[in-house]
Amino acid sequence: KQEVTQIPAALSVPEGENLVLNCSFTDSAIYNLQWFRQDPGKGLTSLLLIQSSQREQTSGRLNASLDKSSGRSTLYIAASQPGDSATYLCAVLNNNNDMRFGAGTRLTVKP
Amino acid sequence: KAGVTQTPRYLIKTRGQQVTLSCSPISGHRSVSWYQQTPGQGLQFLFEYFSETQRNKGNFPGRFSGRQFSNSRSEMNVSTLELGDSALYLCASSLEQRSYNEQFFGPGTRLTVL
């Protein structure tokens, strides 16, 4: 059974800092991995989708990497801003079409 | 292009009742997936519909069911509600089956069971 872990559970950084969020998974037989952000009481906003054959994806200040063999993904946020404050979730879609989410990292960027 | 819409946004029911939630995907999207989010269990996959057929199902009891219409809109039904069904129910749409495509989420329906 696939297990997805996100570390740290919470992170507080000053504005302007670069940061890395981590996601690990136990079963490497995946279709893709997707990073989302969720604002309090809201739905999920898709940030980046990495297919199993890809190593990384970039969008603006965000860069996500995938190392399937080691069961790891990282989300790098450059020059963080207060508006980046949210909970960041990673989700793994397994080859058996089961989707598993991590518990999330709650990010606070202080002005 | 309009995003994923879910109705109603908030719902209060009592134990034993049933409830139907609705999801309208992004125009042109053919796949709709449903998820339950609770503080204790986090986000869990319920089921995925594609071309009016349930393609995948998570580990939830038969009280949870759904369907998809020819216009790709989807409904989720929960019968005989229990207190533990209180949650944020999210639906997501993708162009094709979610194996290949990015999923876009709606704002959710917050269900409270009293």
Side-chain angles (χ1 to χ4, degrees):
Chain A
K1 178 186 163 184
Q2 177 77 273
E3 291 186 8
V4 182
T5 305
Q6 290 187 248
I7 294 173
L11 182 63
S12 181
V13 300
E15 182 177 3
E17 195 162 293
N18 302 326
L19 60 101
V20 174
L21 306 180
N22 297 291
C23 173
S24 62
F25 48 96
T26 55
D27 185 350
S28 62
I30 65 170
Y31 273 127
N32 60 47
L33 184 146
Q34 196 165 358
W35 282 94
F36 298 91
R37 69 173 278 169
Q38 185 174 31
D39 294 284
K42 303 288 181 63
L44 276 62
T45 300
S46 176
L47 297 173
L48 291 164
L49 170 71
I50 311 177
Q51 300 292 354
S52 62
S53 58
Q54 298 174 322
R55 297 286 297 200
E56 66 176 340
Q57 285 286 336
T58 299
S59 176
R61 295 182 293 108
L62 305 179
N63 176 278
S65 69
L66 175 64
D67 184 342
K68 213 171 62 163
S69 60
S70 68
R72 292 183 184 178
S73 176
T74 61
L75 179 67
Y76 174 82
I77 302 176
S80 58
Q81 303 170 357
D84 294 331
S85 298
T87 296
Y88 289 80
L89 295 151
C90 72
V92 171
L93 183 62
N94 300 320
N95 285 351
N96 63 357
N97 258 302
D98 180 29
M99 191 165 197
R100 299 279 170 158
F101 288 80
T105 293
R106 186 167 57 249
L107 173 65
T108 303
V109 181
K110 297 179 178 177
Chain B
K1 189 184 268 191
V4 178
T5 58
Q6 292 187 245
T7 57
R9 292 293 311 280
Y10 302 92
L11 205 48
I12 299 176
K13 292 284 188 179
T14 56
R15 278 183 300 174
Q17 286 187 308
Q18 76 163 22
V19 66
T20 299
L21 312 181
S22 180
C23 172
S24 292
I26 292 171
S27 178
H29 284 197
R30 298 167 62 195
S31 169
V32 173
S33 298
W34 288 89
Y35 299 86
Q36 181 196 64
Q37 186 175 31
T38 59
Q41 300 295 319
L43 262 161
Q44 295 182 281
F45 167 65
L46 281 156
F47 28 64
E48 178 190 13
Y49 285 87
F50 180 76
S51 293
E52 302 177 64
T53 303
Q54 187 181 93
R55 297 298 174 131
N56 300 287
K57 190 175 190 304
N59 190 26
F60 276 81
R63 299 185 298 107
F64 292 82
S65 63
R67 59 178 175 169
Q68 187 180 34
F69 302 96
S70 58
N71 61 358
S72 295
R73 189 177 70 85
S74 177
E75 288 182 347
M76 189 192 89
N77 185 75
V78 188
S79 62
T80 320
L81 284 166
E82 301 176 359
L83 295 179
D85 297 333
S86 294
L88 180 67
Y89 289 88
L90 296 164
C91 86
S93 76
S94 57
L95 200 56
E96 299 292 333
Q97 284 188 267
R98 63 191 181 139
S99 313
Y100 313 110
N101 296 114
E102 191 175 2
Q103 292 187 73
F104 296 88
F105 280 74
T109 292
R110 184 162 296 282
L111 171 65
T112 302
V113 182
L114 302 176

